[in-house]
Amino acid sequence: MSQQLRDPVAERRLVRSRLLIVGVLAAVALAAIAARLWWLQVEGYQHYATLSQENRVRVVGIPPTRGLIYDRNGVLLAENVPTYRLVVTPEQVPDMEGLLGRLGRIVELRATDLERFHQLRRQRRGFQEIPLKFGLTEEEVARLAVNRHRLRGMEVKAQLARRYPLGGTAAHAVGYVGRINREELATVSPAEYSATSHIGKTGVERYYESRLHGKVGVERVETNAMGRTLRTLERQSPAPGEDLYLSLDVRLQKVAEGILADERGAIVAIDPGSGEVLALASTPTFDPNLFVNGIGIDEYRALQSDLDRPLFNRALRGQYPPGSTLKPFLGLAGLETGTKAAEETVYDPGYYSLPGVDHRWRCWKAGGHGHVDLHDAIAESCDTYFYDLAYEMGIEAMHEFLGRFGFGSPTGVDLPGERGGLVPSKDWKRETRGEPWYHGETIIAGIGQGYMLATPLQLAHATATLASRGRTVPPRLLAGTRSHDGERAPVAGGGEPVEPIRLSDSGYWGDVVGSMEAVVHGRRGTARAVGEDAPYRFAGKTGTSQVFGIGQDEEYNAEELEKRLRDHALFIAFAPAEDPEIAVAVIVENGGSGSGTAAPLARAVMDAWLLRLRETAEGYKGG
């Protein structure tokens, strides 16, 4: 048996090599640690110091107070009231689904609340507060406070919420605010809306959003490891939005909405001298308060499916055939173009026909009006006269002249979503329908039918221009403002005056206005009943527009038709005739008779303004 001999030299060599390897590894590790420490403390100092500071100090946006909205007399139309909201800061929540589940057992969370929350969560940074539920009750606030220790990342915050104290009154004009959606977030400044959850959706609230919103504030706060605020380090206060004063008179607005009652329709009243909109009524109306904190699905579906379309602003967006309300403007066009002189007569046997054409265009009066001139044709609303006038004038001349009164284009009122109506032309039909223009289409355009469309606001604006003998001022709702520092600034009534309509003979204005006076004050005027006992003299024009066509040999009988198939009733007017202070346009959908249905409503509005309200209407005064 052999015994292995130890080799001390080899053992020492092995130990030394191992020690060398360990030493080299240790040196490399120490060098790496030293380099990392040097980088962290020298090269990366500023970066990590900033991150450390941000972990300790949080920047919080402070929402500005939204500006208030008043009518011309200082009646509050839109205010801010204190309320509570539930917010969540995602970066402080270890288990979001768990937190939402616990919250849902404490307060009612609708599907829309959760949907909007997740939508905003995807669009905002983790350290930003995201609203989950608005309008908490005192009981809900108490339950959340009791369970606060189990709900990390949740806070209840006081805020000011929009409220419309008059409910549905002037809802289509004032509009409403609602929670910001994805599309709106993409169009606004992220910095300015970082602390804001609501934005103007419709009406004045939307059009003047930039004035009403104000400037966001900033607060730097120190927090602990749990994210709870310890103290405020720095604060830059927000700047409240401007208060707006509208030209609307709530008293007149209530009169207009009240007399429309349960009808579908619109009434627009304008001051011809200034262009100020005194009333803008569209019925049925709705309660804008439903939309402020998110309307329920069932409530919204009910509004959307309502056949009366309460959310539809008929005054601004309803496009209707203007019917015979267009006749004064066409009569003026006939005078200006030299197509017919004021005293020139047309024989009306109760219909109009063209040589070699079998079709007859009927007048509303079966037996006809006999020989009529311009005065009689407007006062008695003779269709045959205007069939003949339109045919002789031609659609191109009609298109050009009516365009001078604003027909076929938006008026430029300071509200979103206005539609422009339509005054057809040969080019329009060729471009949109690929068809030629026919003489019959010109003839029916002469009584405001066919392709002709106008909004109630356009009719009121055109009537105001006619009342002012061609002076044109775009309609406007904003009358004045008040900034957060209390400085007041009146806004000139109406938009910037545009080039007035000048006629070759100023006497033409009197010819047409006198004819419109005969409509309500003349012995054979179509609306003589509504002007009989008027304590002032006014000018007006009745109109009806067909909802559907009737055959050549058929008779129109409103009593046999379902209500929604009956003619629309229209009336335009201004008063007093010689020195106008108000111009009115009325439409009642399926109302039938312009003289029997629409004219009394216009008279009621003018009575209210001229006899009761005008003298006590303060109007906005700066200073």
Side-chain angles (χ1 to χ4, degrees), residues 295-320:
I295 187 171
I297 294 177
D298 292 338
E299 293 172 309
Y300 186 66
R301 283 177 179 168
L303 287 172
Q304 285 286 77
S305 60
D306 191 330
L307 292 178
D308 291 338
R309 303 175 70 190
L311 298 179
F312 183 58
N313 188 344
R314 288 168 166 81
L316 201 71
R317 297 181 54 78
Q319 299 185 115
Y320 309 90

PDB file of all heavy atoms in Angstrom, residues 295-320:
ATOM      1  N   ILE A 295     -76.105  62.123 -16.984  1.00  0.00           N
ATOM      2  CA  ILE A 295     -77.483  61.669 -16.985  1.00  0.00           C
ATOM      3  C   ILE A 295     -77.536  60.143 -17.046  1.00  0.00           C
ATOM      4  O   ILE A 295     -76.671  59.497 -17.659  1.00  0.00           O
ATOM      5  CB  ILE A 295     -78.253  62.282 -18.182  1.00  0.00           C
ATOM      6  CG1 ILE A 295     -79.744  61.971 -18.105  1.00  0.00           C
ATOM      7  CG2 ILE A 295     -77.660  61.822 -19.504  1.00  0.00           C
ATOM      8  CD1 ILE A 295     -80.579  62.717 -19.121  1.00  0.00           C
ATOM      9  N   GLY A 296     -78.517  59.557 -16.390  1.00  0.00           N
ATOM     10  CA  GLY A 296     -78.665  58.108 -16.406  1.00  0.00           C
ATOM     11  C   GLY A 296     -79.041  57.595 -17.793  1.00  0.00           C
ATOM     12  O   GLY A 296     -79.640  58.321 -18.598  1.00  0.00           O
ATOM     13  N   ILE A 297     -78.693  56.367 -18.073  1.00  0.00           N
ATOM     14  CA  ILE A 297     -78.947  55.787 -19.394  1.00  0.00           C
ATOM     15  C   ILE A 297     -80.433  55.792 -19.715  1.00  0.00           C
ATOM     16  O   ILE A 297     -80.839  56.168 -20.821  1.00  0.00           O
ATOM     17  CB  ILE A 297     -78.380  54.351 -19.456  1.00  0.00           C
ATOM     18  CG1 ILE A 297     -76.850  54.387 -19.348  1.00  0.00           C
ATOM     19  CG2 ILE A 297     -78.808  53.670 -20.753  1.00  0.00           C
ATOM     20  CD1 ILE A 297     -76.210  53.021 -19.320  1.00  0.00           C
ATOM     21  N   ASP A 298     -81.258  55.400 -18.773  1.00  0.00           N
ATOM     22  CA  ASP A 298     -82.699  55.339 -19.025  1.00  0.00           C
ATOM     23  C   ASP A 298     -83.281  56.722 -19.280  1.00  0.00           C
ATOM     24  O   ASP A 298     -84.120  56.900 -20.178  1.00  0.00           O
ATOM     25  CB  ASP A 298     -83.413  54.683 -17.835  1.00  0.00           C
ATOM     26  CG  ASP A 298     -83.069  53.214 -17.690  1.00  0.00           C
ATOM     27  OD1 ASP A 298     -82.633  52.608 -18.701  1.00  0.00           O
ATOM     28  OD2 ASP A 298     -83.223  52.667 -16.584  1.00  0.00           O
ATOM     29  N   GLU A 299     -82.824  57.713 -18.503  1.00  0.00           N
ATOM     30  CA  GLU A 299     -83.328  59.071 -18.690  1.00  0.00           C
ATOM     31  C   GLU A 299     -82.915  59.619 -20.053  1.00  0.00           C
ATOM     32  O   GLU A 299     -83.697  60.273 -20.746  1.00  0.00           O
ATOM     33  CB  GLU A 299     -82.797  59.989 -17.589  1.00  0.00           C
ATOM     34  CG  GLU A 299     -83.341  59.667 -16.202  1.00  0.00           C
ATOM     35  CD  GLU A 299     -82.641  60.480 -15.136  1.00  0.00           C
ATOM     36  OE1 GLU A 299     -81.389  60.483 -15.118  1.00  0.00           O
ATOM     37  OE2 GLU A 299     -83.322  61.116 -14.320  1.00  0.00           O
ATOM     38  N   TYR A 300     -81.670  59.337 -20.444  1.00  0.00           N
ATOM     39  CA  TYR A 300     -81.193  59.846 -21.723  1.00  0.00           C
ATOM     40  C   TYR A 300     -81.918  59.177 -22.892  1.00  0.00           C
ATOM     41  O   TYR A 300     -82.279  59.833 -23.872  1.00  0.00           O
ATOM     42  CB  TYR A 300     -79.684  59.625 -21.850  1.00  0.00           C
ATOM     43  CG  TYR A 300     -79.090  60.271 -23.092  1.00  0.00           C
ATOM     44  CD1 TYR A 300     -79.068  61.651 -23.225  1.00  0.00           C
ATOM     45  CD2 TYR A 300     -78.573  59.489 -24.124  1.00  0.00           C
ATOM     46  CE1 TYR A 300     -78.538  62.241 -24.361  1.00  0.00           C
ATOM     47  CE2 TYR A 300     -78.042  60.075 -25.258  1.00  0.00           C
ATOM     48  CZ  TYR A 300     -78.027  61.456 -25.367  1.00  0.00           C
ATOM     49  OH  TYR A 300     -77.502  62.039 -26.495  1.00  0.00           O
ATOM     50  N   ARG A 301     -82.120  57.882 -22.782  1.00  0.00           N
ATOM     51  CA  ARG A 301     -82.848  57.173 -23.837  1.00  0.00           C
ATOM     52  C   ARG A 301     -84.267  57.703 -23.974  1.00  0.00           C
ATOM     53  O   ARG A 301     -84.797  57.803 -25.084  1.00  0.00           O
ATOM     54  CB  ARG A 301     -82.866  55.672 -23.540  1.00  0.00           C
ATOM     55  CG  ARG A 301     -81.544  54.967 -23.850  1.00  0.00           C
ATOM     56  CD  ARG A 301     -81.607  53.509 -23.460  1.00  0.00           C
ATOM     57  NE  ARG A 301     -80.351  52.816 -23.776  1.00  0.00           N
ATOM     58  CZ  ARG A 301     -80.050  51.599 -23.342  1.00  0.00           C
ATOM     59  NH1 ARG A 301     -80.908  50.932 -22.571  1.00  0.00           N
ATOM     60  NH2 ARG A 301     -78.889  51.039 -23.674  1.00  0.00           N
ATOM     61  N   ALA A 302     -84.876  58.054 -22.841  1.00  0.00           N
ATOM     62  CA  ALA A 302     -86.237  58.598 -22.885  1.00  0.00           C
ATOM     63  C   ALA A 302     -86.260  59.928 -23.632  1.00  0.00           C
ATOM     64  O   ALA A 302     -87.163  60.193 -24.434  1.00  0.00           O
ATOM     65  CB  ALA A 302     -86.770  58.771 -21.466  1.00  0.00           C
ATOM     66  N   LEU A 303     -85.259  60.773 -23.401  1.00  0.00           N
ATOM     67  CA  LEU A 303     -85.185  62.051 -24.101  1.00  0.00           C
ATOM     68  C   LEU A 303     -84.900  61.852 -25.582  1.00  0.00           C
ATOM     69  O   LEU A 303     -85.466  62.530 -26.448  1.00  0.00           O
ATOM     70  CB  LEU A 303     -84.098  62.933 -23.478  1.00  0.00           C
ATOM     71  CG  LEU A 303     -84.406  63.537 -22.106  1.00  0.00           C
ATOM     72  CD1 LEU A 303     -83.175  64.211 -21.534  1.00  0.00           C
ATOM     73  CD2 LEU A 303     -85.549  64.532 -22.206  1.00  0.00           C
ATOM     74  N   GLN A 304     -84.007  60.911 -25.877  1.00  0.00           N
ATOM     75  CA  GLN A 304     -83.626  60.666 -27.270  1.00  0.00           C
ATOM     76  C   GLN A 304     -84.771  60.056 -28.073  1.00  0.00           C
ATOM     77  O   GLN A 304     -84.933  60.347 -29.261  1.00  0.00           O
ATOM     78  CB  GLN A 304     -82.412  59.728 -27.325  1.00  0.00           C
ATOM     79  CG  GLN A 304     -81.107  60.388 -26.951  1.00  0.00           C
ATOM     80  CD  GLN A 304     -80.583  61.300 -28.036  1.00  0.00           C
ATOM     81  OE1 GLN A 304     -81.050  62.405 -28.234  1.00  0.00           O
ATOM     82  NE2 GLN A 304     -79.590  60.840 -28.772  1.00  0.00           N
ATOM     83  N   SER A 305     -85.549  59.209 -27.447  1.00  0.00           N
ATOM     84  CA  SER A 305     -86.613  58.517 -28.169  1.00  0.00           C
ATOM     85  C   SER A 305     -87.928  59.294 -28.176  1.00  0.00           C
ATOM     86  O   SER A 305     -88.881  58.886 -28.849  1.00  0.00           O
ATOM     87  CB  SER A 305     -86.844  57.135 -27.546  1.00  0.00           C
ATOM     88  OG  SER A 305     -87.218  57.248 -26.179  1.00  0.00           O
ATOM     89  N   ASP A 306     -87.991  60.396 -27.456  1.00  0.00           N
ATOM     90  CA  ASP A 306     -89.204  61.214 -27.419  1.00  0.00           C
ATOM     91  C   ASP A 306     -89.485  61.775 -28.810  1.00  0.00           C
ATOM     92  O   ASP A 306     -88.643  62.468 -29.392  1.00  0.00           O
ATOM     93  CB  ASP A 306     -89.016  62.357 -26.412  1.00  0.00           C
ATOM     94  CG  ASP A 306     -90.319  63.085 -26.117  1.00  0.00           C
ATOM     95  OD1 ASP A 306     -91.192  63.148 -27.007  1.00  0.00           O
ATOM     96  OD2 ASP A 306     -90.456  63.600 -24.996  1.00  0.00           O
ATOM     97  N   LEU A 307     -90.656  61.500 -29.348  1.00  0.00           N
ATOM     98  CA  LEU A 307     -91.003  61.965 -30.694  1.00  0.00           C
ATOM     99  C   LEU A 307     -91.022  63.486 -30.801  1.00  0.00           C
ATOM    100  O   LEU A 307     -90.860  64.040 -31.893  1.00  0.00           O
ATOM    101  CB  LEU A 307     -92.363  61.395 -31.108  1.00  0.00           C
ATOM    102  CG  LEU A 307     -92.429  59.881 -31.344  1.00  0.00           C
ATOM    103  CD1 LEU A 307     -93.850  59.468 -31.688  1.00  0.00           C
ATOM    104  CD2 LEU A 307     -91.468  59.463 -32.453  1.00  0.00           C
ATOM    105  N   ASP A 308     -91.213  64.170 -29.682  1.00  0.00           N
ATOM    106  CA  ASP A 308     -91.247  65.632 -29.701  1.00  0.00           C
ATOM    107  C   ASP A 308     -89.854  66.257 -29.686  1.00  0.00           C
ATOM    108  O   ASP A 308     -89.731  67.476 -29.794  1.00  0.00           O
ATOM    109  CB  ASP A 308     -92.056  66.158 -28.507  1.00  0.00           C
ATOM    110  CG  ASP A 308     -93.533  65.842 -28.652  1.00  0.00           C
ATOM    111  OD1 ASP A 308     -93.978  65.627 -29.791  1.00  0.00           O
ATOM    112  OD2 ASP A 308     -94.242  65.810 -27.622  1.00  0.00           O
ATOM    113  N   ARG A 309     -88.816  65.452 -29.515  1.00  0.00           N
ATOM    114  CA  ARG A 309     -87.414  65.874 -29.608  1.00  0.00           C
ATOM    115  C   ARG A 309     -87.113  67.093 -28.733  1.00  0.00           C
ATOM    116  O   ARG A 309     -86.757  68.171 -29.221  1.00  0.00           O
ATOM    117  CB  ARG A 309     -87.049  66.166 -31.062  1.00  0.00           C
ATOM    118  CG  ARG A 309     -87.285  64.984 -31.990  1.00  0.00           C
ATOM    119  CD  ARG A 309     -87.032  65.349 -33.437  1.00  0.00           C
ATOM    120  NE  ARG A 309     -85.621  65.569 -33.680  1.00  0.00           N
ATOM    121  CZ  ARG A 309     -85.142  66.088 -34.812  1.00  0.00           C
ATOM    122  NH1 ARG A 309     -85.956  66.438 -35.786  1.00  0.00           N
ATOM    123  NH2 ARG A 309     -83.844  66.251 -34.977  1.00  0.00           N
ATOM    124  N   PRO A 310     -87.233  66.961 -27.420  1.00  0.00           N
ATOM    125  CA  PRO A 310     -86.992  68.106 -26.534  1.00  0.00           C
ATOM    126  C   PRO A 310     -85.556  68.628 -26.567  1.00  0.00           C
ATOM    127  O   PRO A 310     -85.330  69.800 -26.243  1.00  0.00           O
ATOM    128  CB  PRO A 310     -87.357  67.564 -25.146  1.00  0.00           C
ATOM    129  CG  PRO A 310     -87.236  66.080 -25.269  1.00  0.00           C
ATOM    130  CD  PRO A 310     -87.640  65.758 -26.676  1.00  0.00           C
ATOM    131  N   LEU A 311     -84.595  67.789 -26.938  1.00  0.00           N
ATOM    132  CA  LEU A 311     -83.203  68.238 -26.978  1.00  0.00           C
ATOM    133  C   LEU A 311     -82.881  69.023 -28.247  1.00  0.00           C
ATOM    134  O   LEU A 311     -81.821  69.642 -28.338  1.00  0.00           O
ATOM    135  CB  LEU A 311     -82.256  67.034 -26.886  1.00  0.00           C
ATOM    136  CG  LEU A 311     -82.340  66.200 -25.607  1.00  0.00           C
ATOM    137  CD1 LEU A 311     -81.368  65.031 -25.674  1.00  0.00           C
ATOM    138  CD2 LEU A 311     -82.053  67.060 -24.385  1.00  0.00           C
ATOM    139  N   PHE A 312     -83.775  69.021 -29.224  1.00  0.00           N
ATOM    140  CA  PHE A 312     -83.533  69.664 -30.505  1.00  0.00           C
ATOM    141  C   PHE A 312     -83.848  71.156 -30.411  1.00  0.00           C
ATOM    142  O   PHE A 312     -84.960  71.550 -30.050  1.00  0.00           O
ATOM    143  CB  PHE A 312     -84.401  69.014 -31.582  1.00  0.00           C
ATOM    144  CG  PHE A 312     -84.186  69.556 -32.962  1.00  0.00           C
ATOM    145  CD1 PHE A 312     -82.944  69.521 -33.560  1.00  0.00           C
ATOM    146  CD2 PHE A 312     -85.239  70.113 -33.669  1.00  0.00           C
ATOM    147  CE1 PHE A 312     -82.749  70.016 -34.836  1.00  0.00           C
ATOM    148  CE2 PHE A 312     -85.066  70.613 -34.945  1.00  0.00           C
ATOM    149  CZ  PHE A 312     -83.806  70.560 -35.528  1.00  0.00           C
ATOM    150  N   ASN A 313     -82.869  71.978 -30.736  1.00  0.00           N
ATOM    151  CA  ASN A 313     -83.054  73.432 -30.689  1.00  0.00           C
ATOM    152  C   ASN A 313     -83.696  73.893 -31.993  1.00  0.00           C
ATOM    153  O   ASN A 313     -83.037  74.162 -32.986  1.00  0.00           O
ATOM    154  CB  ASN A 313     -81.709  74.129 -30.488  1.00  0.00           C
ATOM    155  CG  ASN A 313     -81.867  75.625 -30.236  1.00  0.00           C
ATOM    156  OD1 ASN A 313     -82.924  76.207 -30.486  1.00  0.00           O
ATOM    157  ND2 ASN A 313     -80.811  76.248 -29.741  1.00  0.00           N
ATOM    158  N   ARG A 314     -85.015  73.981 -31.988  1.00  0.00           N
ATOM    159  CA  ARG A 314     -85.749  74.344 -33.199  1.00  0.00           C
ATOM    160  C   ARG A 314     -85.457  75.770 -33.650  1.00  0.00           C
ATOM    161  O   ARG A 314     -85.475  76.059 -34.848  1.00  0.00           O
ATOM    162  CB  ARG A 314     -87.249  74.164 -32.957  1.00  0.00           C
ATOM    163  CG  ARG A 314     -87.674  72.700 -32.874  1.00  0.00           C
ATOM    164  CD  ARG A 314     -89.100  72.556 -32.350  1.00  0.00           C
ATOM    165  NE  ARG A 314     -89.623  71.202 -32.583  1.00  0.00           N
ATOM    166  CZ  ARG A 314     -89.364  70.164 -31.817  1.00  0.00           C
ATOM    167  NH1 ARG A 314     -88.592  70.313 -30.749  1.00  0.00           N
ATOM    168  NH2 ARG A 314     -89.864  68.975 -32.091  1.00  0.00           N
ATOM    169  N   ALA A 315     -85.211  76.669 -32.716  1.00  0.00           N
ATOM    170  CA  ALA A 315     -84.971  78.067 -33.070  1.00  0.00           C
ATOM    171  C   ALA A 315     -83.714  78.225 -33.900  1.00  0.00           C
ATOM    172  O   ALA A 315     -83.633  79.085 -34.780  1.00  0.00           O
ATOM    173  CB  ALA A 315     -84.885  78.914 -31.803  1.00  0.00           C
ATOM    174  N   LEU A 316     -82.726  77.388 -33.622  1.00  0.00           N
ATOM    175  CA  LEU A 316     -81.408  77.532 -34.233  1.00  0.00           C
ATOM    176  C   LEU A 316     -81.150  76.510 -35.330  1.00  0.00           C
ATOM    177  O   LEU A 316     -80.464  76.796 -36.312  1.00  0.00           O
ATOM    178  CB  LEU A 316     -80.348  77.370 -33.135  1.00  0.00           C
ATOM    179  CG  LEU A 316     -78.958  77.924 -33.376  1.00  0.00           C
ATOM    180  CD1 LEU A 316     -79.001  79.428 -33.342  1.00  0.00           C
ATOM    181  CD2 LEU A 316     -78.008  77.410 -32.292  1.00  0.00           C
ATOM    182  N   ARG A 317     -81.718  75.328 -35.171  1.00  0.00           N
ATOM    183  CA  ARG A 317     -81.393  74.220 -36.065  1.00  0.00           C
ATOM    184  C   ARG A 317     -82.587  73.680 -36.849  1.00  0.00           C
ATOM    185  O   ARG A 317     -82.411  72.892 -37.770  1.00  0.00           O
ATOM    186  CB  ARG A 317     -80.760  73.076 -35.273  1.00  0.00           C
ATOM    187  CG  ARG A 317     -79.433  73.456 -34.633  1.00  0.00           C
ATOM    188  CD  ARG A 317     -78.812  72.287 -33.879  1.00  0.00           C
ATOM    189  NE  ARG A 317     -78.662  71.099 -34.697  1.00  0.00           N
ATOM    190  CZ  ARG A 317     -77.714  70.919 -35.597  1.00  0.00           C
ATOM    191  NH1 ARG A 317     -76.814  71.867 -35.821  1.00  0.00           N
ATOM    192  NH2 ARG A 317     -77.647  69.802 -36.288  1.00  0.00           N
ATOM    193  N   GLY A 318     -83.789  74.096 -36.489  1.00  0.00           N
ATOM    194  CA  GLY A 318     -84.962  73.658 -37.226  1.00  0.00           C
ATOM    195  C   GLY A 318     -85.035  74.359 -38.570  1.00  0.00           C
ATOM    196  O   GLY A 318     -85.051  75.589 -38.647  1.00  0.00           O
ATOM    197  N   GLN A 319     -85.067  73.608 -39.657  1.00  0.00           N
ATOM    198  CA  GLN A 319     -85.126  74.169 -41.001  1.00  0.00           C
ATOM    199  C   GLN A 319     -86.499  73.842 -41.596  1.00  0.00           C
ATOM    200  O   GLN A 319     -86.831  72.677 -41.787  1.00  0.00           O
ATOM    201  CB  GLN A 319     -84.001  73.610 -41.874  1.00  0.00           C
ATOM    202  CG  GLN A 319     -82.618  73.945 -41.338  1.00  0.00           C
ATOM    203  CD  GLN A 319     -81.501  73.495 -42.259  1.00  0.00           C
ATOM    204  OE1 GLN A 319     -80.754  74.282 -42.810  1.00  0.00           O
ATOM    205  NE2 GLN A 319     -81.379  72.203 -42.424  1.00  0.00           N
ATOM    206  N   TYR A 320     -87.255  74.882 -41.892  1.00  0.00           N
ATOM    207  CA  TYR A 320     -88.622  74.728 -42.360  1.00  0.00           C
ATOM    208  C   TYR A 320     -88.834  75.521 -43.651  1.00  0.00           C
ATOM    209  O   TYR A 320     -88.212  76.579 -43.835  1.00  0.00           O
ATOM    210  CB  TYR A 320     -89.614  75.252 -41.306  1.00  0.00           C
ATOM    211  CG  TYR A 320     -89.408  74.703 -39.918  1.00  0.00           C
ATOM    212  CD1 TYR A 320     -88.572  75.346 -39.009  1.00  0.00           C
ATOM    213  CD2 TYR A 320     -90.053  73.542 -39.507  1.00  0.00           C
ATOM    214  CE1 TYR A 320     -88.391  74.850 -37.727  1.00  0.00           C
ATOM    215  CE2 TYR A 320     -89.880  73.041 -38.223  1.00  0.00           C
ATOM    216  CZ  TYR A 320     -89.041  73.704 -37.338  1.00  0.00           C
ATOM    217  OH  TYR A 320     -88.865  73.208 -36.064  1.00  0.00           O
TER     218      TYR A 320
END
